[in-house]
Amino acid sequence: MTDRRETRGPRPRRGPEELRSHRWYGTGGLRSFSHRARTRQLGYLPEEHLGKPVIAILNTWSDINPCHQHLRERAEAVKRGVWQAGGFPLEFPVATLSETFQKPTPMLYRNLLSLETEELLRSYPVDGAVLMGGCDKTTPALLMGAASADLPAVLVPAGPMLRGHWRGETLGSGTDMWKYWDDYRAGLIGDCELAELECGLARSPGHCMTMGTASTMTGAAEALGVTMPGAAAIPAVDSGHSRMAAAAGRRIVELVWEGRSLSTVLTREAYEDAVTTVCALGGSTNAVIHLIAMAGRSGIGLTLDDFDRIARTTPVLADLRPGGKYLMEDFHQAGGMPGFLSRLRDRLHLDRPTVAHDTLREQLAGALVHDDDVIRTADDPLSAEGGIAVLRGNLAPDGAVIKHLAAEPHLLRHTGPAVVFEDYRALQAGIDDPALGITADSVLVLRGSGPLGGPGMPEYGMLPIPGHLLRQGVRDMVRLSDARMSGTSYGACVLHIAPESWVGGPLALVESGDLITLDVPARTLRLEVDDAELERRRAAWQPPPARYGRGYGALYEEHITQADTGCDFAFLARPGEVPEPHAG
């Protein structure tokens, strides 16, 4: 890789009096005296912080978040880098969004973390920020909040865990959980095997090492240009991860002195390159919602049509599970994101800036791929077009998505009778009921699982296949919902149907037995019921009552937007000025 210091010309350096923190510490009044006195109370000498960039380290570490289990130590590496560069680091604990444990879904709280991020950066005497996280919703939440605050910022991705192992097989977290759970339900493995799998699926700190939502979003973040080069794929427990964290600490101090806010990096071109990257990675459908929301915070109107347009002409070059066979540790050794992006050069905007370099072109200079099986060439792609398709039709007038790369090909054009479940509890209770007469040709439909109905749009979209079909060898069916799906999962699952059923979208009008047609090549999803009958059903539909009487849930219900616009809070997504606080 080209050394940034060899290729960049000198930049104007701001003076200490131009630092944002100077308003707290250097104005000479009573408040500045108080701020300095309280900093002495913390045990710091004047020369440790006065006239230096104050760097907020926003750390999503928690005892119950295995993805971030190591970030307490990594924060020390970031601090080391900040001190080395002449800055003053302050660590802020922020909300942790544990994909595994938080219910009903951490998606319910993504916007809460984004709001916390924005307001912490706005209200404290900080000049720049290092954002630490990587679990699915954490990356977009931190970047959404930082984009709204618009200070200099660098993301330190948590990094993928080590590959899993079981009886000589390499396991991918999430992906192989779904696979072997189906085998368990089908009677192919028993309790002993399942107990062994529990111990082999996740062997270290770090997020999922498949191309699930976590790696998709950290990969997108690197493509956006908000991480150090190569940061997204470094395994969480690799010593290179500590070095990367220290480098981020050094770099954020330089960014503050240069006055390079996050908005100089998060341009329309950057977001389009992130979409291209997600498509070429065969990444998670969740990235559609997150990137649209992130772009909205940057004042950029990214849409579902942008995803579909880019996906149609972008080949999948990463042979990673669940759509391929390798894992993130293999991807890192094969060249990581720099090598991967170097193979997309002709599709990227190379002259835009990143946090680490003046241009993406400069950042990718010298990047190499070391294994063409893991990171394919454009002449030998895993798929000729991106793994995500956007569907429209009378069942999804505002759009729906499918990760068709991870579905069985014969299901990409399919018509079958609907079997409808009102909510996820009804699905759990009834999916194995033989009285429903579910066959391999049936279309399973789940409603009541969208942004409001979930609530929070949980990852219910990979509807389970009935046990009797699993025992017959069926491993995929067409499944429809207004929910999301784990990025580690797979199957012919149509997701994010908008508007959702909870607000009276067409999904609320489907009845068991109705024929539904999915045609991915034509990008259509259609309910084969005439308009007059749909109007009759619509007239009879009654909206459900509000679920929350108070608290954050009530705030969420009042302001959440639909999936096609990113599920952000309307009051956070809209344009408008926010005054800087008076610190004197």
Side-chain angles (χ1 to χ4, degrees):
M1 298 292 290
T2 301
D3 190 319
R4 174 179 49 78
R5 293 168 297 179
E6 296 174 357
T7 57
R8 285 184 46 198
R11 282 186 173 275
R13 179 185 171 99
R14 298 195 298 168
E17 69 283 353
E18 296 178 86
L19 294 173
R20 186 174 180 271
S21 57
H22 179 78
R23 302 207 317 266
W24 273 260
Y25 287 117
T27 59
L30 171 63
R31 292 297 177 186
S32 287
F33 168 74
S34 172
H35 298 150
R36 294 192 300 270
R38 292 301 187 177
T39 305
R40 303 299 161 266
Q41 182 185 8
L42 291 168
Y44 294 110
L45 296 166
E47 55 266 32
E48 292 185 80
H49 74 97
L50 290 179
K52 296 181 178 181
V54 178
I55 305 301
I57 302 171
L58 271 56
N59 193 348
T60 54
W61 172 87
S62 166
D63 270 332
I64 201 168
N65 193 333
C67 304
H68 299 171
Q69 186 180 357
H70 57 304
L71 292 187
R72 176 180 272 179
E73 290 77 25
R74 294 297 178 273
E76 296 305 312
V78 174
K79 290 177 185 177
R80 186 175 81 234
V82 172
W83 286 119
Q84 288 171 353
F88 180 61
L90 294 172
E91 187 176 355
F92 290 73
V94 293
T96 191
L97 306 183
S98 177
E99 195 65 33
T100 305
F101 295 104
Q102 194 169 27
K103 304 301 178 188
T105 168
M107 184 64 179
L108 185 68
Y109 302 102
R110 183 199 67 181
N111 298 341
L112 181 62
L113 175 55
S114 80
L115 183 59
E116 181 183 20
T117 298
E118 175 181 353
E119 296 306 325
L120 279 176
L121 297 181
R122 196 183 308 282
S123 60
Y124 278 96
V126 299
D127 301 297
V130 174
L131 315 170
M132 303 189 67
C135 197
D136 296 15
K137 315 304 177 294
T138 307
T139 296
L142 291 170
L143 288 172
M144 287 163 68
S148 294
D150 198 25
L151 300 181
V154 177
L155 176 73
V156 171
M161 69 179 86
L162 298 177
R163 59 171 62 91
H165 289 290
W166 177 67
R167 295 189 178 184
E169 292 188 31
T170 298
L171 301 178
S173 60
T175 301
D176 283 302
M177 179 184 73
W178 315 121
K179 174 182 180 293
Y180 284 108
W181 185 255
D182 280 350
D183 284 353
Y184 178 72
R185 292 179 62 222
L188 300 177
I189 62 173
D191 291 337
C192 291
E193 290 86 352
L194 209 62
E196 292 177 16
L197 283 161
E198 284 184 17
C199 298
L201 270 170
R203 297 173 46 242
S204 78
H207 58 66
C208 291
M209 70 306 229
T210 51
M211 186 44 67
T213 304
S215 285
T216 299
M217 291 312 302
T218 56
E222 184 162 338
L224 283 168
V226 298
T227 74
M228 301 306 293
I234 303 172
V237 295
D238 193 302
S239 63
H241 199 268
S242 292
R243 297 192 297 272
M244 176 272 293
R250 291 193 299 273
R251 183 61 188 136
I252 187 59
V253 176
E254 296 178 20
L255 289 170
V256 168
W257 284 127
E258 293 169 4
R260 296 177 68 182
S261 64
L262 200 54
S263 60
T264 65
V265 175
L266 294 179
T267 61
R268 166 164 285 281
E269 291 78 14
Y271 281 107
E272 289 186 353
D273 287 352
V275 174
T276 298
T277 299
V278 168
C279 293
L281 286 170
S284 167
T285 50
N286 289 309
V288 178
I289 291 175
H290 295 320
L291 283 173
I292 288 174
M294 291 160 62
R297 295 294 188 91
S298 298
I300 293 163
L302 195 66
T303 68
L304 289 177
D305 290 338
D306 291 317
F307 276 87
D308 198 56
R309 169 179 57 83
I310 292 172
R312 286 176 183 269
T313 60
T314 302
V316 178
L317 303 185
D319 193 351
L320 299 170
R321 301 183 197 184
K325 60 182 177 180
Y326 293 104
L327 297 171
M328 286 303 293
E329 195 173 344
D330 306 305
F331 184 79
H332 174 61
Q333 298 299 333
M337 285 301 297
F340 177 78
L341 292 173
S342 74
R343 291 200 162 166
L344 295 172
R345 277 192 180 99
D346 60 341
R347 302 171 184 275
L348 302 176
H349 299 86
L350 296 175
D351 294 320
R352 60 181 177 85
T354 71
V355 297
H357 292 82
D358 284 343
T359 65
L360 180 61
R361 185 189 309 278
E362 182 184 329
Q363 183 160 311
L364 297 181
L368 298 172
V369 173
H370 311 297
D371 191 333
D372 290 340
D373 289 335
V374 180
I375 301 175
R376 305 285 192 93
T377 64
D379 296 330
D380 182 33
L382 191 68
S383 171
E385 64 175 56
I388 295 174
V390 175
L391 309 172
R392 296 187 188 274
N394 70 345
L395 195 48
D398 290 340
V401 300
I402 183 172
K403 189 175 182 178
H404 56 94
L405 182 66
E408 291 189 6
H410 74 277
L411 294 173
L412 299 182
R413 275 198 175 105
H414 180 82
T415 298
V419 179
V420 180
F421 297 92
E422 290 299 327
D423 55 34
Y424 192 64
R425 292 185 184 184
L427 172 72
Q428 289 176 305
I431 189 63
D432 291 322
D433 185 354
L436 295 178
I438 300 173
T439 73
D441 291 328
S442 299
V443 175
L444 302 180
V445 176
L446 173 65
R447 54 187 172 219
S449 300
L452 283 165
M457 208 177 179
E459 292 183 341
Y460 294 162
M462 53 282 196
L463 281 64
I465 293 171
H468 72 277
L469 293 180
L470 289 173
R471 290 187 288 273
Q472 295 172 25
V474 176
R475 285 296 184 272
D476 199 3
M477 297 175 65
V478 174
R479 291 161 273 179
L480 276 59
S481 73
D482 45 14
R484 297 177 301 108
M485 177 176 83
S486 168
T488 67
S489 193
Y490 48 86
C493 301
V494 178
L495 310 158
H496 311 179
I497 291 176
E500 65 174 309
S501 58
W502 195 265
V503 299
L507 193 66
L509 311 179
V510 181
E511 296 181 357
S512 290
D514 290 345
L515 290 180
I516 293 175
T517 296
L518 167 67
D519 189 335
V520 174
R523 300 297 199 264
T524 58
L525 180 67
R526 180 165 180 80
L527 179 61
E528 304 295 352
V529 174
D530 65 59
D531 292 344
E533 173 61 16
L534 289 180
E535 284 303 317
R536 185 192 67 78
R537 296 180 188 180
R538 187 172 286 110
W541 180 81
Q542 294 292 320
R547 185 180 276 110
Y548 292 96
R550 57 163 303 281
Y552 174 74
L555 176 74
Y556 177 94
E557 285 186 328
E558 290 172 11
H559 297 286
I560 196 68
T561 65
Q562 288 290 297
D564 60 303
T565 54
C567 296
D568 200 358
F569 288 161
F571 70 89
L572 293 176
R574 68 186 180 218
E577 295 298 320
V578 178
E580 274 284 300
H582 179 62

